[in-house]
Amino acid sequence: MKRILFLCLIFISGYSFAQKIFKQPDAMGTWQYISPFKDKSYVLAIQYGVKEEQVGENINTTIYFGKIGLKTDQLFWKEKIYAKLITGNVSYEDYNSDGIKDVLIFSETGARGGNAFYYLFLLDPKNKKISKVKNFENIVNPEYNRKHHVVVSYGLSGTNNYSIYKISKANKAYQIGESFEDTFDSDPTELDKRIRKILKKSVH
């Protein structure tokens, strides 16, 4: 009898939790909600401060994507990431030249604040889908180059270096060519020449 009662309590607790994922008044951490589509029932939710930051661990945040319902929320996926909550941590820019602004979420900074890292989520409004770009969070100071359809990384260190990335059809960022030092001085055309040279080599 006690075993049956215990199993019933587990079922009830699990069922109650499943009723609502977003807008939980007692959920731990700080929640941030993003409406990526015109249909505001679809939500990208970021739960900061899931647990204390620990040495050697790169997880302190959980990100969810789902659809809000009156009593039950539908969760499509969730993932644990490392991200710091700052003012202006979310920005929008088209990173795959489809005319739709994608979502950039700030992760952290390095090199005394000069190097910033982000997570990139590509939006598909037609199918109401969001896809995380793998390895993008390792690209320092990313900027999308619309002319060449590449991501330009500019790392600040003892010497400042450029690296060029592409995003594959499988939504994974990968570097093309070798990184190169910024020795351009005041020549604004040199970066364009370097990118064209790298792209030319990468097709062979």
Side-chain angles (χ1 to χ4, degrees):
M1 183 64 182
K2 288 183 178 180
R3 178 178 173 81
I4 294 174
L5 181 60
F6 177 71
L7 291 174
C8 286
L9 286 172
I10 291 176
F11 175 78
I12 292 171
S13 298
Y15 180 78
S16 299
F17 176 76
Q19 296 305 289
K20 212 69 181 163
I21 296 168
F22 309 116
K23 308 294 184 182
Q24 298 180 61
D26 299 323
M28 67 180 296
T30 302
W31 287 73
Q32 182 179 26
Y33 298 93
I34 301 167
S35 299
F37 309 125
K38 289 184 179 179
D39 184 344
K40 303 302 182 183
S41 64
Y42 288 87
V43 62
L44 189 66
I46 313 171
Q47 183 186 15
Y48 292 93
V50 176
K51 64 180 181 180
E52 294 283 334
E53 184 178 347
Q54 298 177 14
V55 177
E57 292 193 359
N58 236 11
I59 296 171
N60 70 337
T61 299
T62 303
I63 188 164
Y64 307 78
F65 176 57
K67 192 173 190 295
I68 295 176
L70 293 176
K71 293 185 178 180
T72 304
D73 294 334
Q74 184 179 3
L75 183 64
F76 302 128
W77 54 259
K78 72 175 183 178
E79 182 174 349
K80 293 182 181 298
I81 62 174
Y82 180 80
K84 292 182 178 179
L85 178 58
I86 62 170
T87 302
N89 65 318
V90 177
S91 57
Y92 301 87
E93 187 176 347
D94 183 3
Y95 262 82
N96 55 357
S97 298
D98 61 357
I100 298 166
K101 288 187 177 181
D102 304 300
V103 178
L104 283 166
I105 297 176
F106 175 78
S107 173
E108 63 177 334
T109 57
R112 298 186 298 277
N115 292 324
F117 299 87
Y118 302 83
Y119 294 95
L120 174 62
F121 295 86
L122 301 179
L123 301 187
D124 179 0
K126 182 179 179 180
N127 297 300
K128 302 295 190 297
K129 290 184 178 180
I130 295 180
S131 302
K132 178 174 175 284
V133 176
K134 305 176 186 70
N135 196 46
F136 191 88
E137 64 274 15
N138 296 318
I139 301 177
V140 57
N141 296 325
E143 184 175 334
Y144 189 66
N145 184 294
R146 292 176 179 81
K147 179 179 179 180
H148 297 294
H149 309 297
V150 296
V151 180
V152 178
S153 169
Y154 189 66
L156 306 174
S157 57
T159 57
N160 301 331
N161 294 280
Y162 285 100
S163 300
I164 309 302
Y165 292 81
K166 275 193 170 185
I167 298 174
S168 71
K169 291 182 179 180
N171 293 329
K172 183 176 182 179
Y174 63 96
Q175 185 174 348
I176 57 173
E178 299 292 330
S179 300
F180 51 93
E181 188 178 346
D182 179 6
T183 56
F184 307 157
D185 296 326
S186 59
D187 185 354
T189 66
E190 185 61 29
L191 176 59
D192 186 77
K193 293 176 183 176
R194 293 289 189 101
I195 293 175
R196 283 192 283 111
K197 185 176 181 180
I198 288 174
L199 288 171
K200 187 177 180 180
K201 284 185 176 181
S202 69
V203 298
H204 296 294

